[in-house]
Amino acid sequence: VVMSMVPTIRDDATVEEWARSTGQPTLCFELTPSVDTDPGHLGSREVSRRFDDQAAAITELGKKLDAQTAIIQNQARFIGELQETNRKQEDLIATTVKEVASEMAIMRGLMM
């Protein structure tokens, strides 16, 4: 499990506002207290099993986060490539328009 410090925000902020301020994916868990979740009422095997289940869940969430991060990075790379292609096409169009305008000016000069 990796823990990191995140920015603080005012006390009355919503989870959505806090998540936006961190710029990181946010997972929220809500534990509803009940008799069967109170470790005092559970045997050591049950507590151990629940810890194992939670560790497995955290591991699975980590894998999903890694997969989502890879997808986002691939999308960002693809968007960057599209932007570069667009920039090159804009430059080519601008150059071509200038060349055509120049050639038209030469043709006008020859016609006069």
Side-chain angles (χ1 to χ4, degrees):
V1 175
V2 177
M3 297 181 73
S4 57
M5 296 297 291
V6 293
T8 58
I9 194 166
R10 65 184 199 282
D11 291 341
D12 62 337
T14 64
V15 172
E16 179 183 3
E17 291 170 329
W18 181 84
R20 257 187 278 128
S21 75
T22 66
Q24 297 293 321
T26 305
L27 297 173
C28 297
F29 297 93
E30 181 178 344
L31 179 61
T32 306
S34 68
V35 173
D36 69 332
T37 60
D38 180 5
H41 291 87
L42 302 174
S44 62
R45 283 188 180 169
E46 181 63 16
V47 170
S48 178
R49 185 190 65 76
R50 288 188 182 196
F51 280 129
D52 291 344
D53 289 348
Q54 290 172 353
I58 290 171
T59 299
E60 190 61 32
L61 285 171
K63 289 177 185 178
K64 288 181 182 190
L65 177 61
D66 291 344
Q68 288 297 316
T69 300
I71 290 169
I72 291 167
Q73 289 172 343
N74 287 338
Q75 290 172 336
R77 193 175 309 114
F78 181 68
I79 289 168
E81 290 170 2
L82 289 174
Q83 290 172 333
E84 179 64 20
T85 299
N86 185 55
R87 186 191 60 74
K88 287 179 181 178
Q89 288 176 346
E90 287 175 349
D91 290 348
L92 179 61
I93 289 170
T95 301
T96 303
V97 167
K98 286 179 185 176
E99 289 173 359
V100 168
S102 176
E103 289 175 9
M104 288 177 68
I106 292 171
M107 293 169 107
R108 275 191 216 123
L110 293 175
M111 289 182 174
M112 294 185 163

